[in-house]
Amino acid sequence: MAPPPATVVSPVITLLLRLLTFIFLMISLVILTTNTATLFVNLAEVKLRFNDVYAYRYMVAVIVLGIAYTLLQTAFAIFQVSMGKRLGGDGLYQFDFYGDKVMSYILATGAAAGFGATIDLKSVFSGGGVDQFFNKASAASSLLLLGFLSTAISSVFSSLALPKRD
Amino acid sequence: MAPPPATVVSPVITLLLRLLTFIFLMISLVILTTNTATLFVNLAEVKLRFNDVYAYRYMVAVIVLGIAYTLLQTAFAIFQVSMGKRLGGDGLYQFDFYGDKVMSYILATGAAAGFGATIDLKSVFSGGGVDQFFNKASAASSLLLLGFLSTAISSVFSSLALPKRD
């Protein structure tokens, strides 16, 4: 027998989840990359940016990867909503399943690395400008965490939507 | 029609994966909690332990949670291997699916927080004893990462084993 169209939720909800993920990741990227602080070390001005902290560099890489993947999935979802059918057939369910799984793990590690570095670095350094720098990094990590959560929900749906074998 | 026993891999492989996860997490926990370093601050000796770093405290919590979950799953897997059938019926497939998913995300964040904090703290502090402290923390993070990977593989299997609905 032909497998039934194994959609668990409405394609509109799938699309909304992707758009939400995209928005979270974009705002996180903007906050993280525009975040700067000025330090005074031995009377010299030192500019602190995201690329001075390894964890934040990893976060940027993760977010860029996440945005690229989410844009691709958004395109698929728009196609499905407007055309009423799935692009690519059964193979794409497999792609969704493994793609969402791997991408949600990557986003989770990005957010966790951001929080891990921020909280402990903040307890080492202190002072006005640096505090704000780490607070903004926390905000970026929180948004990345939200992006992870929406991708994790997509991953539950794409697992449940895996076509019934046998 | 009655749903077929939806096992994707042999129960023995399932059991071996759980045991592997358990071993990784146990060694990680031992390395992390026995890790100490002695610092000299203003002529006073300061003992550095895992609970001085927030990320390592989070790691310990994650590992303990992971060990408890893995022990439970190991018990289920031993029952299945020895009795030839699954304990609890269909409900347990759902438990496996969501349990493995959530637990693998939690383990992933633990490992990432550990790496994030370690790498950036190591670039701030330096010196013999402290370097070794952070190296051991890296080793514990790596083992936690391995524990995450084996749980992620279990999660793929438990997603594929979800009983066929309809």
Side-chain angles (χ1 to χ4, degrees):
Chain A
M1 75 180 185
T7 42
V8 180
V9 289
S10 147
V12 178
I13 292 177
T14 309
L15 177 58
L16 286 178
L17 264 174
R18 300 297 182 189
L19 287 175
L20 209 63
T21 309
F22 177 74
I23 292 167
F24 287 142
L25 295 182
M26 275 308 283
I27 303 175
S28 177
L29 186 66
V30 169
I31 293 177
L32 196 62
T33 51
T34 59
N35 193 10
T36 55
T38 311
L39 290 175
F40 292 93
V41 182
N42 300 333
L43 294 177
E45 245 185 54
V46 177
K47 202 113 181 164
L48 199 62
R49 290 198 62 223
F50 80 90
N51 49 7
D52 294 315
V53 179
Y54 290 107
Y56 299 163
R57 286 197 220 175
Y58 177 68
M59 275 176 79
V60 168
V62 161
I63 295 171
V64 169
L65 211 65
I67 287 175
Y69 176 78
T70 306
L71 277 181
L72 183 71
Q73 285 287 5
T74 307
F76 288 153
I78 290 173
F79 182 90
Q80 197 180 5
V81 167
S82 54
M83 296 300 190
K85 66 184 174 105
R86 199 84 174 87
L87 197 76
D90 276 7
L92 213 60
Y93 288 107
Q94 297 269 353
F95 173 75
D96 285 358
F97 172 63
Y98 289 105
D100 286 345
K101 230 181 171 55
V102 171
M103 192 48 66
S104 56
Y105 285 136
I106 291 175
L107 292 174
T109 58
F115 279 121
T118 303
I119 292 169
D120 281 305
L121 285 176
K122 206 181 160 185
S123 71
V124 173
F125 298 102
S126 55
V130 189
D131 265 3
Q132 209 189 7
F133 179 78
F134 287 127
N135 288 345
K136 278 196 183 170
S138 281
S141 302
S142 304
L143 282 158
L144 182 49
L145 192 71
L146 290 175
F148 148 66
L149 285 175
S150 53
T151 309
I153 296 171
S154 293
S155 172
V156 170
F157 292 154
S158 64
S159 299
L160 296 175
L162 263 190
K164 294 101 172 83
R165 277 137 232 272
D166 300 350
Chain B
M1 77 182 181
T7 42
V8 181
V9 290
S10 148
V12 178
I13 291 177
T14 309
L15 177 59
L16 286 179
L17 265 174
R18 299 295 182 189
L19 288 175
L20 209 62
T21 308
F22 177 73
I23 293 167
F24 287 142
L25 294 182
M26 275 307 283
I27 303 175
S28 178
L29 186 65
V30 170
I31 292 177
L32 196 61
T33 50
T34 59
N35 193 10
T36 55
T38 310
L39 290 175
F40 292 93
V41 181
N42 299 333
L43 295 177
E45 243 183 56
V46 177
K47 203 114 181 164
L48 199 62
R49 289 198 63 222
F50 80 89
N51 48 7
D52 294 315
V53 179
Y54 290 107
Y56 300 164
R57 286 197 219 175
Y58 177 69
M59 276 177 77
V60 168
V62 160
I63 295 172
V64 169
L65 210 66
I67 287 174
Y69 177 78
T70 306
L71 277 180
L72 183 71
Q73 285 286 4
T74 307
F76 288 153
I78 289 172
F79 182 90
Q80 196 180 8
V81 168
S82 54
M83 296 299 189
K85 67 184 174 103
R86 197 85 173 87
L87 197 75
D90 276 7
L92 214 61
Y93 288 107
Q94 297 268 353
F95 174 75
D96 285 359
F97 172 64
Y98 289 105
D100 286 347
K101 229 181 173 55
V102 171
M103 193 47 66
S104 57
Y105 285 136
I106 291 175
L107 292 174
T109 58
F115 278 121
T118 303
I119 292 169
D120 281 304
L121 285 176
K122 206 179 160 185
S123 72
V124 173
F125 297 101
S126 55
V130 190
D131 265 3
Q132 209 188 6
F133 178 78
F134 288 127
N135 288 345
K136 278 195 184 171
S138 281
S141 303
S142 304
L143 282 158
L144 181 50
L145 191 70
L146 290 175
F148 149 67
L149 285 176
S150 53
T151 309
I153 296 171
S154 294
S155 172
V156 171
F157 292 153
S158 64
S159 299
L160 296 175
L162 263 190
K164 295 101 174 77
R165 276 136 230 269
D166 302 352

